Amino acid sequence: MSREIPFHLTPLLAVLLGYAPAAIPASAQSAKEIDFPHDIVPLIKARCAECHTNGKYKGSLSLETREALLKAKVVVPGKSIESELVKRITSDDPEFRMPPKGKLLTTKEVELIQTWIDQGLPWEAGFTFKVSAYVPPLKPRRPSLPPIRDGRGHPIDRIVDAYYAEHGVTAPAVLDDVAFIRRLYLDVLGLLPASEELTGYLKESGAGKRNQLIRRVLADKRAYADHWMTFWNDILRNDYQGTGYIDGGRKQITGWLYQALLENKPYDEFVRELISPSPESEGFINGIKWRGRVNASQVREIQFSQNVSQVFFGINMKCASCHDSFIDTWKLDDAYSLAAVIAEQPLEISRCDKPTGKMAKPRFIFPELGAIDAALPKAKRLQQLASLVTRPDNGRFARTIVNRLWHRLMGHGIVHPVDVMANKPWSEDLLDYLAVYFVDHAYDVKQLLEHIAGSRAYQSQAAARLQEIAGDDYVFRGPEVKRLTAEQFVDAVWMITRAGPTKAAAPTKLPIEATAPERRFVRAALVNADALMRSLGRPNREQVVTTRGDVLTTLQALDLSNGQLLADTLARGAANLSKLHPQATSEEFIELIYLRALCRRPTADESATAREIIGTPASPDGLTDLLWTVFMLPEFQLIR
């Protein structure tokens, strides 16, 4: 059933749709998808970089980053015909054309630039043409803590406060209790607090009440496992249906993964069991066996190399799987040497899908930490690799996961993007402190989350960010506003309306007693993705996904405003609420929905508007529309 949007709600929809990207021209849609590392990077390096990177910015044009290129206003994403860059590279005027000397770009090169712009200017996350002098350290480093400022003695705050002082940033104010409990529950459990938990917490007093709440939330074993399944399913390419699962070309690790999260398995042990696996955990390193002929860079051994590098070290080995990388320092031999660790047979190196006749030898990508014995059978080689990856003196291993968790809680990595760990962190001391803390505390993920959540830095009001600031220009000003993930949004709707599924797709037993009654329902992370979840950003998990897009798209706005799946869910939810509260008045329904969805009671103006929507007495359609109205509010969809 499509919904006729009430007149007073149309401004909200306009705001939602206003965030949608510009439409991509039909010509760009039909063109071959641009491969930035292979199509664009070599072209810019060869024809443009000399004059527009590394301190030489002729005509005030920098091509070092996507942000710099957009700032120069010489390209209009989606509209190459309106872009000055295209006009210059196609001009015959020697005073106007680019490049100003030498041969003009070929027709093929011009077409690549035009298609790149028409397809929205795709850019490898974190890539820059600027040659960096920063070399990320491998070994751990234990930084000294700065002095305490303004009574904030938490080690994270001591480092952050010193950073604020150095960069002239005023520390943001502390969240109030309502905002804090909502942020904490959504970040750690992926759910809103139950009404009784909210009211109970607000009645508590004492300086330690927030730390006590953090420990209580982390103790909810099932809700914690349910929520973090989303994070790890994305990263470990695990799902319940899809490519390879029917014909045996792919294997789930669901049962092992869920149990590991329930037990809070130490991260080093967790990773060793993934790299040197049991039959229950081998699905990750085995990857996907694609049907038919595949490119040499897509065979299972190379998938292993790419996935281990990305997940555990924040390294992009995909470009180096075809040739020496265009975007960083990794070589073809590095990708194949790691791939050879898992190979059953001798593995021939292919360059750009052409066999070279050279065979790969098993080798760790950080040989400073130790060697792998090529003479050993595969199982023993994997044991050696698992040990090398998780060595306490492998600082890259600990830094990568603490950076991912910081990003998940704070909205921006200490190193950003999180898969480009060769980038310089905005605070080396903070990254190293957290990495050493993590190792000192036996790789306990919950302990690390508790430590971060207990800091003033985490408990501060969200910093306003009007545009993406990348690279050396980024300054940390506090936590950033985050959008609910697909699973968080759907779970919140299901928790309030009790309109979710009754059976999980994940083949694992759910411990009923391990969570509060309000959270004993089948979570979105444990069912197959539907059209709404896919629209809201849940990936198909055929490749590693460590971060999801956070910009609202046209499809999302349409599915939220008039999608059949959400409309049906809310209609069922309204019926469920009516059955659960048969004597409730309109005012009581309004207060119940606001309290559960927004963790607060409605204002007088909101109550008046809500009464117009719900009717007196409340009608089924009115209750459905009120649920939709509240769920569309940015206050509901954002974690502030």
Side-chain angles (χ1 to χ4, degrees):
M1 177 181 72
S2 64
R3 176 183 292 106
E4 180 179 345
I5 301 170
F7 175 78
H8 61 277
L9 298 178
T10 52
L12 171 62
L13 181 57
V15 171
L16 291 172
L17 292 173
Y19 283 100
I24 296 175
S27 60
Q29 292 174 357
S30 61
K32 179 183 176 183
E33 185 176 352
I34 284 292
D35 183 342
F36 177 75
H38 296 86
D39 295 335
I40 303 301
V41 172
L43 176 55
I44 291 181
K45 281 186 174 181
R47 306 305 302 274
C48 312
E50 182 179 351
C51 296
H52 299 289
T53 64
N54 289 304
K56 292 179 66 178
Y57 310 122
K58 291 189 176 181
S60 300
L61 172 61
S62 169
L63 297 177
E64 287 176 351
T65 65
R66 186 178 190 274
E67 292 74 20
L69 180 55
L70 290 173
K71 186 176 181 180
K73 298 182 179 179
V74 297
V75 293
V76 182
K79 299 178 181 179
S80 64
I81 195 171
E82 298 180 14
S83 298
E84 182 181 350
L85 178 61
V86 172
K87 295 175 183 177
R88 285 181 174 267
I89 63 177
T90 56
S91 174
D92 293 327
D93 183 348
E95 300 296 325
F96 185 74
R97 77 176 196 181
M98 289 180 62
K101 298 179 181 179
K103 295 182 179 180
L104 290 171
L105 270 63
T106 66
T107 300
K108 182 179 179 181
E109 289 171 334
V110 170
E111 289 176 350
L112 278 174
I113 294 293
Q114 288 178 308
T115 304
W116 178 46
I117 296 171
D118 283 337
Q119 292 183 359
L121 214 69
W123 196 287
E124 193 80 15
F127 175 74
T128 175
F129 286 98
K130 184 177 182 179
V131 178
S132 173
Y134 176 75
V135 178
L138 180 60
K139 298 288 186 177
R141 183 177 71 93
R142 192 179 297 272
S144 299
L145 293 176
I148 296 173
R149 293 173 181 264
D150 300 325
R152 293 189 287 269
H154 193 294
I156 291 175
D157 294 326
R158 292 169 68 173
I159 296 172
V160 170
D161 283 344
Y163 174 90
Y164 284 159
E166 179 183 353
H167 290 82
V169 175
T170 301
V174 178
L175 287 172
D176 61 38
D177 278 346
V178 171
F180 171 70
I181 189 174
R182 189 175 193 274
R183 179 190 289 178
L184 180 70
Y185 268 80
L186 286 168
D187 282 346
V188 175
L189 302 183
L191 286 173
L192 297 164
S195 300
E196 295 76 12
E197 291 170 324
L198 173 64
T199 54
Y201 172 69
L202 295 179
K203 291 177 182 177
E204 294 179 14
S205 60
K209 67 182 252 182
R210 291 196 173 185
N211 289 334
Q212 293 168 11
L213 177 67
I214 294 167
R215 286 190 286 272
R216 288 201 302 272
V217 170
L218 283 164
D220 191 326
K221 295 171 60 177
R222 174 177 161 180
Y224 173 88
D226 288 351
H227 173 54
W228 289 93
M229 280 293 288
T230 293
F231 175 84
W232 286 110
N233 278 341
D234 282 5
I235 289 180
L236 300 178
R237 304 203 312 183
N238 185 61
D239 219 330
Y240 320 124
Q241 65 177 7
T243 302
Y245 286 124
I246 294 176
D247 62 7
R250 187 177 180 188
K251 185 177 179 181
Q252 285 190 49
I253 61 170
T254 302
W256 173 86
L257 177 57
Y258 193 81
Q259 192 62 35
L261 294 173
L262 275 178
E263 297 172 357
N264 189 34
K265 189 183 292 289
Y267 183 66
D268 59 336
E269 183 180 345
F270 177 92
V271 172
R272 283 194 294 272
E273 291 182 18
L274 284 169
I275 295 177
S276 178
S278 66
E280 291 74 29
S281 61
E282 67 181 359
F284 169 65
I285 63 168
N286 286 347
I288 300 174
K289 184 178 181 180
W290 296 97
R291 293 183 179 182
R293 186 187 180 280
V294 296
N295 185 287
S297 66
Q298 295 174 303
V299 299
R300 285 178 127 171
E301 295 85 356
I302 295 296
Q303 289 180 42
F304 169 85
S305 176
Q306 294 169 351
N307 296 342
V308 168
S309 299
Q310 181 178 357
V311 172
F312 304 125
F313 301 122
I315 291 171
N316 182 346
M317 202 66 80
K318 292 180 181 178
C319 197
S321 298
C322 286
H323 44 70
D324 292 348
S325 178
F326 292 139
I327 61 177
D328 51 38
T329 60
W330 296 100
K331 307 296 184 184
L332 184 65
D333 281 352
D334 295 321
Y336 270 87
S337 294
L338 187 55
V341 175
I342 199 175
E344 298 277 9
Q345 305 294 332
L347 182 63
E348 184 177 8
I349 298 174
S350 291
R351 182 180 296 275
C352 296
D353 211 28
K354 295 180 179 180
T356 64
K358 180 181 177 182
M359 309 308 289
K361 296 180 180 180
R363 175 173 57 83
F364 188 37
I365 56 176
F366 298 119
E368 310 96 299
L369 295 177
I372 293 173
D373 187 348
L376 292 175
K378 183 183 85 169
K380 294 294 184 182
R381 296 197 302 268
L382 289 173
Q383 286 179 9
Q384 287 187 336
L385 177 62
S387 178
L388 291 171
V389 167
T390 59
R391 282 178 56 158
D393 61 345
N394 184 353
R396 185 66 172 266
F397 173 66
R399 290 188 193 100
T400 299
I401 185 59
V402 301
N403 188 57
R404 294 194 191 285
L405 296 173
W406 178 275
H407 171 268
R408 192 52 57 111
L409 294 184
M410 305 294 279
H412 194 284
I414 303 171
V415 177
H416 200 82
V418 295
D419 283 334
V420 190
M421 288 298 291
N423 283 351
K424 188 174 182 179
W426 56 261
S427 172
E428 291 182 81
D429 282 354
L430 179 60
L431 183 64
D432 286 328
Y433 165 76
L434 289 173
V436 170
Y437 177 92
F438 188 49
V439 176
D440 286 348
H441 289 79
Y443 297 91
D444 186 328
V445 173
K446 284 191 175 183
Q447 179 66 39
L448 178 64
L449 294 174
E450 179 182 339
H451 193 54
I452 296 174
S455 68
R456 163 73 180 268
Y458 175 79
Q459 297 177 21
S460 295
Q461 293 179 6
R465 177 168 62 87
L466 301 179
Q467 61 183 1
E468 182 69 34
I469 300 175
D472 296 339
D473 294 332
Y474 175 80
V475 175
F476 176 73
R477 300 179 183 279
E480 296 191 359
V481 175
K482 305 184 291 288
R483 282 187 63 198
L484 296 179
T485 64
E487 291 83 353
Q488 286 172 319
F489 177 86
V490 170
D491 279 341
V493 171
W494 289 348
M495 183 176 176
I496 293 167
T497 64
R498 297 297 172 182
T502 57
K503 185 177 180 181
T508 189
K509 184 178 180 181
L510 304 179
I512 294 176
E513 71 283 354
T515 192
E518 296 85 357
R519 293 187 279 278
R520 292 178 189 171
F521 65 95
V522 176
R523 300 277 295 273
L526 303 177
V527 300
N528 295 321
D530 58 25
L532 178 61
M533 280 189 263
R534 288 192 293 270
S535 169
L536 294 177
R538 178 161 160 174
N540 63 18
R541 293 170 177 152
E542 290 177 357
Q543 60 185 352
V544 171
V545 176
T546 58
T547 54
R548 300 182 184 180
D550 60 357
V551 177
L552 189 70
T553 68
T554 304
L555 177 60
Q556 291 169 8
L558 291 173
D559 277 343
L560 289 172
S561 65
N562 208 29
Q564 193 66 50
L565 273 173
L566 184 57
D568 290 345
T569 299
L570 298 186
R572 291 196 309 274
N576 291 341
L577 289 176
S578 295
K579 290 178 183 177
L580 288 170
H581 308 280
Q583 304 302 318
T585 64
S586 296
E587 287 74 14
E588 289 169 338
F589 274 126
I590 293 167
E591 182 160 315
L592 179 148
I593 291 169
Y594 266 80
L595 194 60
R596 291 185 178 179
L598 306 179
C599 298
R600 65 173 178 82
R601 290 178 169 81
T603 65
D605 287 345
E606 288 170 333
S607 292
T609 302
R611 283 193 297 272
E612 293 180 20
I613 296 171
I614 197 172
T616 305
S619 68
D621 286 346
L623 190 52
T624 301
D625 282 343
L626 179 60
L627 287 168
W628 179 81
T629 303
V630 173
F631 293 155
M632 290 304 100
L633 291 172
E635 185 180 352
F636 176 78
Q637 296 191 24
L638 300 177
I639 306 173
R640 297 188 181 276

